[in-house]
Amino acid sequence: MAEGGKKDVDNSLCQEPKAPFRIAEGEDLQEQENELFALEAIYETEDLEICKHDNASGHPPGGIFNIPIKTPEDFYVKVTKDLHQIKLMAFSAVRGRGWKEKINQRAAQRKKENENCESSESPAKPGSQPQPLYLVKRLPPITLNFSFPHDYPSVSPPNFTLSCCWLEKKNLTKLCEKLDEIWTRYAGSPIISVWHDFLYHEVIQFLEIKSPYDLGRVLVHLFTHPPGYEKKNYSFMAPRPFDWRGVQTFGNIDEVLPAVLDFNLTTCDVCMEEKPGHQFLRLVNCTEHRTCKLCTQGWLEAMIKDGAVSDLRCPGYKCEKSILPTEVAAVVSKELYERYEKLLLKTAFDIMPDVMICPRTFCQFPVVIEDNLGLCPNCKHAFCGRCQNTYHGHSPCKLKSEMFALLVNEYESSTAERRQELEMRYGKMVIQRALEETKSNKWLETNSKQCPCCSTFIQKKDGCNKMVCSNCRAFFCWLCQQELSKANPYAHYQHPTSACSNRLFEGVEIHDEILEFLDELDSSEDEDDDDEDEVDVDRL
């Protein structure tokens, strides 16, 4: 299958042949083998599948060539799905057959009807809105499926079919007839590479395709060649039959535009790399920005890991268009999408005043709160809707310590009416306790440090940076909070590789008594002197 997700067609070379075929002989066999070898060598980088003479399945020699179609600069496509508009499109191409005046009258009548609908503010009819245009740099491939008869190239041309998802049957017929004409000119010579060059370089010009090209034209044959037209007796203007070798490869009209956009080359707005369209995530709510799946995936993963799931937007510059959950699931992993769903559900519950999550960590079931009572239908736990503790009736809430800071912030920033409401809900004693505990914690964080052994808060009023814990009597450094050796705690300040070297009295006002202690510390040379120093330290 060609790049871009083109709809599969049953054009495999491995189908059972309908009738026995003859293998070429002599010069024809040599020419066929040389042509297949040359095609493999010349078009090795293109989407070409070769079936040689000695294939194990016993199929005719040939191949399948997917030939992409490059478009002119600033080439746009659109798609019309309204059958009435497609019908007008079908007969607007008729020239000199008496239809022109009738078509113009119908177009003017419909334009007047649309203007009346707009003036009366009634809903617009299908097809009255302008169709969006899509810039296309290349179109999905035309698939050339060919096989060699036994007398090719000396007598007969190759058998072939042309299949495409965006061309109408009339144009496919024109291309088949053009390939026959080219064979007539080059009869007796290898022809596949000539056919390839024509399809690759001249299709747009030969079919006179102009921008914007309407992909709805693939359904024009429904009106020009209605079902059963072969059995009707036409007095004049009988429809010309289509060439059976031209095959349309789409299931319905809704598949055509996605197939074209998937194969198109597009530049990502984030990484600025040009990639095929099937590597992009087309957002339903945003048609302005083009972001590849890799960039969108990185953006969404970062947002979900940060918990920002309630406001996922298009990663385009200053874009406010939202991303749908189905689009999130298309690019992130299954585990991350499950986290996204849980966070999204929790966010939805947070804005519902009468719904809370069960506080039990093993449950986490959504619970409806009635009269401040939450009764979990899953684990049968009854809890308070305010403090989330076990239900305590109309008694004041006993807040958990981690909720004190949130309560204090809300209380201090609230109006008088809100403060009165909080006091009635939690009680003045609880509010006062929360204020005092929060202020105490702030003071401790500012004016004290914790012992590295027992975590007791220690305040330093004076002296050197060697501290003694009042609880467990451990020695530790005030600067780095590292536990010190009880045998020689000052070695921490004397070792040249220590981060606190020569910082014993950093930040301390030097007195005469401290200077004398330093002199004694420097002049100590034996253990007795060390013992005296330890006594002096205790005295200090």
Side-chain angles (χ1 to χ4, degrees):
M1 184 174 71
E3 180 183 12
K6 182 177 72 63
K7 184 177 178 64
D8 290 333
V9 189
D10 191 13
N11 56 1
S12 172
L13 291 177
C14 297
Q15 299 174 357
E16 289 296 331
K18 295 182 179 180
F21 65 93
R22 292 172 55 188
I23 295 294
E25 299 177 353
E27 294 184 2
D28 284 337
L29 176 60
Q30 187 65 38
E31 288 283 353
Q32 291 179 15
E33 290 178 342
N34 291 342
E35 183 172 8
L36 293 177
F37 178 80
L39 290 175
E40 278 189 310
I42 297 173
Y43 303 106
E44 60 179 351
T45 61
E46 298 192 25
D47 193 354
L48 170 64
E49 179 183 352
I50 292 295
C51 183
K52 297 184 177 180
H53 293 74
D54 55 352
N55 65 87
S57 302
H59 302 300
I64 300 176
F65 222 146
N66 292 309
I67 306 170
I69 306 301
K70 292 186 177 180
T71 60
E73 292 186 5
D74 300 327
F75 187 86
Y76 292 85
V77 299
K78 60 180 182 178
V79 57
T80 298
K81 299 181 182 179
D82 179 36
L83 291 180
H84 182 81
Q85 294 292 327
I86 295 176
K87 183 177 181 180
L88 293 178
M89 191 189 309
F91 293 103
S92 64
V94 180
R95 293 292 183 267
R97 297 188 180 184
W99 290 90
K100 189 173 183 180
E101 294 181 1
K102 186 176 181 180
I103 292 171
N104 291 337
Q105 291 176 0
R106 292 288 300 274
Q109 181 181 357
R110 186 162 182 82
K111 182 178 179 182
K112 186 177 181 180
E113 291 176 357
N114 292 337
E115 291 175 353
N116 293 336
C117 291
E118 294 175 359
S119 62
S120 60
E121 299 183 355
S122 61
K125 295 183 179 180
S128 62
Q129 298 297 328
Q131 298 291 338
L133 300 179
Y134 302 89
L135 179 64
V136 172
K137 296 182 180 179
R138 67 176 184 178
L139 289 165
I142 296 176
T143 301
L144 173 64
N145 189 342
F146 63 92
S147 63
F148 295 150
H150 70 281
D151 53 355
Y152 168 81
S154 61
V155 179
S156 301
N159 302 314
F160 72 90
T161 60
L162 290 178
S163 54
C164 181
C165 68
W166 53 272
L167 280 176
E168 56 187 294
K169 288 190 174 182
K170 181 184 70 173
N171 283 339
L172 285 171
T173 297
K174 287 183 178 179
L175 292 180
C176 292
E177 293 173 348
K178 182 63 178 178
L179 297 189
D180 291 337
E181 178 187 334
I182 294 175
W183 163 254
T184 302
R185 250 186 302 162
Y186 293 89
S189 303
I191 198 64
I192 302 300
S193 61
V194 182
W195 282 354
H196 168 273
D197 292 344
F198 165 74
L199 294 173
Y200 186 79
H201 295 288
E202 302 181 30
V203 164
I204 298 295
Q205 182 179 0
F206 173 74
L207 297 178
E208 298 181 352
I209 295 176
K210 306 295 183 183
S211 177
Y213 179 70
D214 197 328
L215 299 174
R217 301 190 65 88
V218 295
L219 297 181
V220 163
H221 65 276
L222 296 178
F223 302 99
T224 59
H225 295 66
Y229 78 94
E230 306 94 338
K231 300 179 182 179
K232 295 182 180 179
N233 294 322
Y234 292 89
S235 57
F236 68 101
M237 293 175 53
R240 182 185 176 189
F242 295 125
D243 196 314
W244 65 271
R245 296 173 297 179
V247 182
Q248 291 182 316
T249 57
F250 63 90
N252 58 68
I253 187 64
D254 293 327
E255 299 176 2
V256 178
L257 180 61
V260 172
L261 297 181
D262 283 348
F263 191 79
N264 182 36
L265 291 176
T266 308
T267 301
C268 177
D269 293 339
V270 178
C271 63
M272 304 306 294
E273 293 184 9
E274 191 175 61
K275 302 178 181 180
H278 66 88
Q279 296 184 17
F280 284 74
L281 180 65
R282 290 193 291 274
L283 302 179
V284 174
N285 295 328
C286 182
T287 58
E288 179 182 357
H289 298 104
R290 303 287 183 269
T291 310
C292 69
K293 290 181 179 180
L294 285 178
C295 294
T296 306
Q297 179 183 0
W299 163 265
L300 292 177
E301 286 179 350
M303 296 292 286
I304 295 173
K305 290 178 181 178
D306 291 342
V309 300
S310 60
D311 197 30
L312 292 182
R313 305 289 181 179
C314 168
Y317 181 66
K318 292 184 177 181
C319 185
E320 297 296 326
K321 304 295 179 59
S322 60
I323 298 179
L324 301 179
T326 53
E327 296 166 344
V328 177
V331 292
V332 302
S333 64
K334 182 179 179 181
E335 294 76 13
L336 201 61
Y337 184 72
E338 291 177 354
R339 169 179 168 80
Y340 162 76
E341 284 188 319
K342 291 180 180 178
L343 292 175
L344 195 63
L345 184 62
K346 183 178 183 301
T347 304
F349 288 149
D350 288 343
I351 62 177
M352 297 180 183
D354 58 342
V355 178
M356 294 187 68
I357 300 297
C358 177
R360 286 182 168 177
T361 55
F362 65 84
C363 181
Q364 301 290 296
F365 198 81
V367 182
V368 177
I369 306 298
E370 295 182 1
D371 193 22
N372 200 36
L373 168 63
L375 183 59
C376 179
N378 186 40
C379 66
K380 309 304 179 184
H381 174 57
F383 62 94
C384 174
R386 297 191 182 105
C387 64
Q388 298 187 22
N389 290 322
T390 303
Y391 185 69
H392 49 78
H394 294 284
S395 302
C397 295
K398 296 180 180 180
L399 294 180
K400 300 176 182 178
S401 58
E402 58 266 20
M403 298 181 66
F404 280 170
L406 298 176
L407 177 59
V408 169
N409 291 336
E410 183 179 3
Y411 185 81
E412 291 180 343
S413 61
S414 299
T415 60
E417 292 80 4
R418 178 59 178 166
R419 288 187 178 186
Q420 185 177 4
E421 180 183 345
L422 292 175
E423 290 173 356
M424 292 179 62
R425 175 185 297 180
Y426 300 106
K428 287 187 177 181
M429 296 293 292
V430 175
I431 298 290
Q432 185 64 28
R433 178 189 168 194
L435 290 171
E436 291 176 355
E437 185 169 329
T438 302
K439 290 180 180 179
S440 176
N441 291 335
K442 288 183 179 178
W443 188 93
L444 288 174
E445 291 176 0
T446 306
N447 300 282
S448 65
K449 294 184 180 180
Q450 288 181 283
C451 170
C453 295
C454 65
S455 301
T456 301
F457 282 97
I458 306 297
Q459 179 187 6
K460 178 184 176 184
K461 293 183 178 180
D462 199 1
C464 65
N465 290 321
K466 188 214 78 172
M467 303 297 297
V468 180
C469 176
S470 58
N471 182 47
C472 66
R473 309 303 297 172
F475 292 167
F476 68 94
C477 176
W478 176 261
L479 299 177
C480 65
Q481 291 181 267
Q482 177 181 335
E483 184 180 3
L484 305 179
S485 169
K486 287 192 175 183
N488 186 13
Y490 297 102
H492 177 70
Y493 302 97
Q494 295 172 338
H495 200 282
T497 62
S498 173
C500 299
S501 177
N502 297 323
R503 299 175 65 188
L504 178 63
F505 293 100
E506 183 177 299
V508 179
E509 185 178 354
I510 305 298
H511 301 288
D512 293 339
E513 186 178 0
I514 296 178
L515 293 176
E516 293 176 3
F517 166 73
L518 291 176
D519 292 338
E520 293 177 1
L521 187 65
D522 292 339
S523 62
S524 61
E525 297 179 355
D526 50 32
E527 294 182 357
D528 294 334
D529 292 339
D530 291 341
D531 294 337
E532 292 176 1
D533 289 341
E534 291 179 4
V535 172
D536 291 340
V537 170
D538 293 337
R539 176 177 56 80
L540 180 62

